[in-house]
Short mmCIF file of all heavy atoms in Angstrom, two decimals:
data_model
loop_
_atom_site.label_atom_id
_atom_site.label_comp_id
_atom_site.label_asym_id
_atom_site.label_seq_id
_atom_site.Cartn_x
_atom_site.Cartn_y
_atom_site.Cartn_z
N ASN A 44 11.40 -14.77 10.16
CA ASN A 44 12.45 -14.41 11.10
C ASN A 44 12.00 -14.67 12.54
O ASN A 44 10.84 -14.43 12.90
CB ASN A 44 12.81 -12.93 10.95
CG ASN A 44 13.45 -12.63 9.61
OD1 ASN A 44 13.95 -13.53 8.94
ND2 ASN A 44 13.44 -11.37 9.21
N ASP A 62 0.47 -9.75 -1.58
CA ASP A 62 0.21 -9.44 -2.99
C ASP A 62 -0.68 -8.23 -3.21
O ASP A 62 -0.95 -7.87 -4.36
CB ASP A 62 -0.39 -10.66 -3.70
CG ASP A 62 -1.74 -11.07 -3.12
OD1 ASP A 62 -2.10 -10.59 -2.02
OD2 ASP A 62 -2.45 -11.87 -3.77
N ALA A 78 6.44 -1.94 -1.08
CA ALA A 78 6.50 -2.48 -2.44
C ALA A 78 7.95 -2.57 -2.92
O ALA A 78 8.33 -3.55 -3.58
CB ALA A 78 5.67 -1.61 -3.37
N PRO A 115 3.10 32.42 0.08
CA PRO A 115 3.80 31.21 -0.36
C PRO A 115 2.82 30.17 -0.88
O PRO A 115 1.63 30.17 -0.55
CB PRO A 115 4.48 30.73 0.92
CG PRO A 115 3.60 31.24 2.03
CD PRO A 115 3.07 32.56 1.54
N ARG A 128 13.96 14.02 -1.77
CA ARG A 128 14.63 13.28 -0.71
C ARG A 128 14.17 11.82 -0.69
O ARG A 128 14.99 10.91 -0.54
CB ARG A 128 14.35 13.95 0.63
CG ARG A 128 15.22 13.47 1.77
CD ARG A 128 14.97 14.32 2.99
NE ARG A 128 15.24 15.74 2.71
CZ ARG A 128 14.87 16.73 3.51
NH1 ARG A 128 14.22 16.47 4.62
NH2 ARG A 128 15.16 17.97 3.20
N LEU A 136 18.85 2.95 -0.85
CA LEU A 136 18.61 1.71 -0.11
C LEU A 136 18.63 0.50 -1.04
O LEU A 136 19.14 -0.57 -0.67
CB LEU A 136 17.27 1.79 0.62
CG LEU A 136 17.22 2.73 1.83
CD1 LEU A 136 15.80 2.83 2.36
CD2 LEU A 136 18.16 2.25 2.92
N GLU A 152 16.29 -11.95 -2.68
CA GLU A 152 15.09 -12.78 -2.59
C GLU A 152 14.21 -12.62 -3.82
O GLU A 152 14.03 -11.52 -4.34
CB GLU A 152 14.30 -12.41 -1.33
CG GLU A 152 13.14 -13.32 -1.06
CD GLU A 152 12.42 -12.95 0.23
OE1 GLU A 152 12.90 -12.03 0.92
OE2 GLU A 152 11.39 -13.57 0.52
N VAL A 183 -24.54 15.90 -15.58
CA VAL A 183 -23.13 16.24 -15.48
C VAL A 183 -22.77 16.46 -14.01
O VAL A 183 -23.48 17.17 -13.29
CB VAL A 183 -22.81 17.51 -16.29
CG1 VAL A 183 -21.32 17.85 -16.17
CG2 VAL A 183 -23.18 17.32 -17.75
N ARG A 186 -15.96 14.80 -10.64
CA ARG A 186 -15.29 13.67 -9.98
C ARG A 186 -13.96 14.15 -9.41
O ARG A 186 -13.11 14.65 -10.15
CB ARG A 186 -15.07 12.52 -10.97
CG ARG A 186 -14.36 11.32 -10.36
CD ARG A 186 -14.16 10.23 -11.39
NE ARG A 186 -15.44 9.68 -11.82
CZ ARG A 186 -16.07 8.69 -11.21
NH1 ARG A 186 -15.54 8.14 -10.12
NH2 ARG A 186 -17.21 8.24 -11.67
N ALA A 199 3.73 -17.50 -15.75
CA ALA A 199 3.67 -18.80 -15.10
C ALA A 199 5.04 -19.48 -15.16
O ALA A 199 5.92 -19.10 -15.93
CB ALA A 199 2.61 -19.67 -15.78
N ALA A 204 9.11 -14.46 -20.03
CA ALA A 204 8.89 -13.03 -19.85
C ALA A 204 7.86 -12.77 -18.76
O ALA A 204 7.03 -13.61 -18.44
CB ALA A 204 8.43 -12.40 -21.16
N ASP A 209 4.99 -2.72 -13.50
CA ASP A 209 5.37 -1.31 -13.33
C ASP A 209 6.60 -1.20 -12.45
O ASP A 209 6.93 -0.10 -11.99
CB ASP A 209 4.20 -0.53 -12.71
CG ASP A 209 3.00 -0.46 -13.64
OD1 ASP A 209 3.19 -0.14 -14.82
OD2 ASP A 209 1.87 -0.75 -13.18
N VAL A 279 -2.09 17.57 -13.91
CA VAL A 279 -3.27 17.61 -13.05
C VAL A 279 -2.81 17.91 -11.64
O VAL A 279 -1.76 17.43 -11.21
CB VAL A 279 -4.04 16.27 -13.12
CG1 VAL A 279 -3.16 15.11 -12.67
CG2 VAL A 279 -5.31 16.32 -12.27
N ARG A 297 -11.22 -4.92 -3.54
CA ARG A 297 -11.32 -5.02 -5.00
C ARG A 297 -10.08 -5.69 -5.58
O ARG A 297 -10.17 -6.50 -6.50
CB ARG A 297 -11.50 -3.64 -5.62
CG ARG A 297 -12.81 -2.96 -5.25
CD ARG A 297 -13.00 -1.70 -6.09
NE ARG A 297 -14.06 -0.86 -5.56
CZ ARG A 297 -13.85 0.26 -4.86
NH1 ARG A 297 -12.62 0.68 -4.66
NH2 ARG A 297 -14.86 0.98 -4.40
N TRP A 311 -5.93 -13.34 4.10
CA TRP A 311 -6.20 -12.39 5.18
C TRP A 311 -6.10 -10.97 4.64
O TRP A 311 -5.24 -10.67 3.81
CB TRP A 311 -5.19 -12.54 6.31
CG TRP A 311 -5.37 -13.74 7.17
CD1 TRP A 311 -5.12 -15.03 6.83
CD2 TRP A 311 -5.80 -13.77 8.52
NE1 TRP A 311 -5.38 -15.87 7.89
CE2 TRP A 311 -5.79 -15.11 8.94
CE3 TRP A 311 -6.19 -12.78 9.42
CZ2 TRP A 311 -6.17 -15.50 10.22
CZ3 TRP A 311 -6.56 -13.17 10.72
CH2 TRP A 311 -6.55 -14.51 11.09
N PRO A 328 -10.15 -4.61 28.23
CA PRO A 328 -10.27 -3.19 28.59
C PRO A 328 -11.26 -3.00 29.72
O PRO A 328 -12.04 -3.89 30.05
CB PRO A 328 -10.75 -2.55 27.29
CG PRO A 328 -10.40 -3.53 26.21
CD PRO A 328 -10.46 -4.87 26.85
N GLY A 330 -14.31 -2.35 31.90
CA GLY A 330 -15.71 -2.64 31.61
C GLY A 330 -15.92 -4.02 31.06
O GLY A 330 -17.04 -4.50 30.98
N ARG A 341 -14.15 -5.80 8.50
CA ARG A 341 -14.61 -7.19 8.52
C ARG A 341 -14.81 -7.69 7.10
O ARG A 341 -15.37 -7.01 6.27
CB ARG A 341 -15.92 -7.28 9.29
CG ARG A 341 -16.50 -8.67 9.31
CD ARG A 341 -17.71 -8.74 10.21
NE ARG A 341 -17.35 -8.56 11.60
CZ ARG A 341 -18.26 -8.45 12.57
NH1 ARG A 341 -19.53 -8.47 12.28
NH2 ARG A 341 -17.88 -8.28 13.80
N PRO A 365 -6.75 -7.74 11.53
CA PRO A 365 -6.89 -8.53 10.32
C PRO A 365 -8.32 -8.98 10.11
O PRO A 365 -9.08 -9.15 11.06
CB PRO A 365 -5.96 -9.71 10.55
CG PRO A 365 -5.96 -9.89 12.03
CD PRO A 365 -6.17 -8.51 12.62
N LEU A 382 -4.11 -19.70 15.20
CA LEU A 382 -3.83 -18.40 15.82
C LEU A 382 -5.02 -17.86 16.59
O LEU A 382 -5.38 -16.70 16.47
CB LEU A 382 -3.41 -17.39 14.74
CG LEU A 382 -2.16 -17.74 13.94
CD1 LEU A 382 -1.95 -16.72 12.83
CD2 LEU A 382 -0.93 -17.79 14.84
#
Side-chain angles (χ1 to χ4, degrees):
N44 294 341
D62 62 346
R128 193 173 302 167
L136 288 174
E152 187 178 356
V183 180
R186 179 180 294 273
D209 294 312
V279 59
R297 295 189 193 104
W311 286 71
R341 177 174 293 174
L382 300 174

